[in-house]
Amino acid sequence: MSKKRGGFKTVMAVYGYARVSREIQDLTRQLKALSKAGVKAENIFKDIGSGKDFQRVEYQKLVNKILKKGDILYITSVDRLGRDMKGIEEEYRLLTEVRECQIISIEEPFLSTSQDEITNNLLRPILLKFLSWVAERERKELLNRQKQAYNSMSKNSRGKLISNRTGKVI
């Protein structure tokens, strides 16, 4: 992708970012979506880690060493960036306003940066706040369900949890 600026042709790079929380989860769906959107496999950065913050190795490498002004970053959805409302909003601002990159969310095209001032300044911030709240809420609910599951388990004589499903110590 290129853009003509002041007589010079500037090449904009296209990158993708995919994340899952645990190794038992699969990145395939996200990788296929990013590839279908036109992101080359070598330009897709992948992390396995929690969305609670942005301290992920590949994400930090992408943001701090790779992305340049005018580049495009594809994500499948905003919750792949993170699961913390304030953090997502700050990171989105860093990428779009400070780094001057374009973000394209495949599943939420209304969050993608655009040339339309009303969309960028009015609608997108409201939608971003709402979807990042949903992502944060999902994480809190997941943690709450995990806690409830652990609390429902019995313990053996050594205090180890016993799986309700298998009857084995976990």
Side-chain angles (χ1 to χ4, degrees):
M1 221 176 264
S2 62
K3 190 178 193 180
K4 198 155 183 146
R5 212 182 275 163
F8 294 99
K9 197 172 187 180
T10 319
V11 177
M12 295 179 293
V14 177
Y15 297 98
Y17 180 71
R19 178 191 67 80
V20 291
S21 299
R22 296 185 177 91
E23 287 191 32
I24 61 170
Q25 294 174 314
D26 190 10
L27 285 166
T28 304
R29 178 190 62 81
Q30 292 176 65
L31 299 177
K32 283 182 179 178
L34 293 168
S35 178
K36 186 177 177 183
V39 182
K40 294 179 183 173
E42 63 269 18
N43 287 350
I44 298 175
F45 289 75
K46 304 168 278 243
D47 275 315
I48 296 173
S50 173
K52 68 179 179 178
D53 59 37
F54 291 87
Q55 300 309 310
R56 293 174 241 126
V57 174
E58 290 297 303
Y59 181 80
Q60 288 299 317
K61 178 180 170 185
L62 172 64
V63 172
N64 294 314
K65 296 181 180 174
I66 305 295
L67 283 175
K68 305 286 184 249
K69 180 179 180 177
D71 287 349
I72 299 170
L73 174 61
Y74 277 87
I75 55 176
T76 54
S77 66
V78 74
D79 67 350
R80 297 302 82 207
L81 276 181
R83 294 284 191 167
D84 172 69
M85 186 170 83
K86 187 175 180 183
I88 292 170
E89 290 176 294
E90 288 172 5
E91 211 60 27
Y92 205 92
R93 189 189 70 71
L94 169 74
L95 293 168
T96 60
E97 295 175 23
V98 176
R99 297 290 169 93
E100 298 182 51
C101 295
Q102 185 178 0
I103 296 178
I104 297 177
S105 176
I106 296 169
E107 294 174 12
E108 302 134 349
F110 46 83
L111 282 183
S112 303
T113 51
S114 72
Q115 301 302 317
D116 180 8
E117 206 171 307
I118 291 173
T119 300
N120 281 342
N121 297 329
L122 179 65
L123 298 176
R124 194 184 62 213
I126 293 168
L127 294 170
L128 180 63
K129 185 173 282 300
F130 175 72
L131 289 174
S132 59
W133 173 81
V134 169
E136 182 178 284
R137 184 173 181 275
E138 283 177 356
R139 180 172 186 277
K140 286 178 181 175
E141 284 299 313
L142 173 72
L143 293 173
N144 188 39
R145 285 190 297 271
Q146 286 175 338
K147 184 178 179 180
Q148 288 173 349
Y150 287 129
N151 289 339
S152 74
M153 293 179 187
S154 54
K155 294 180 182 178
N156 69 9
S157 60
R158 292 184 175 162
K160 304 259 182 184
L161 293 175
I162 300 171
S163 170
N164 290 333
R165 194 185 61 176
T166 65
K168 295 182 181 179
V169 174
I170 52 173

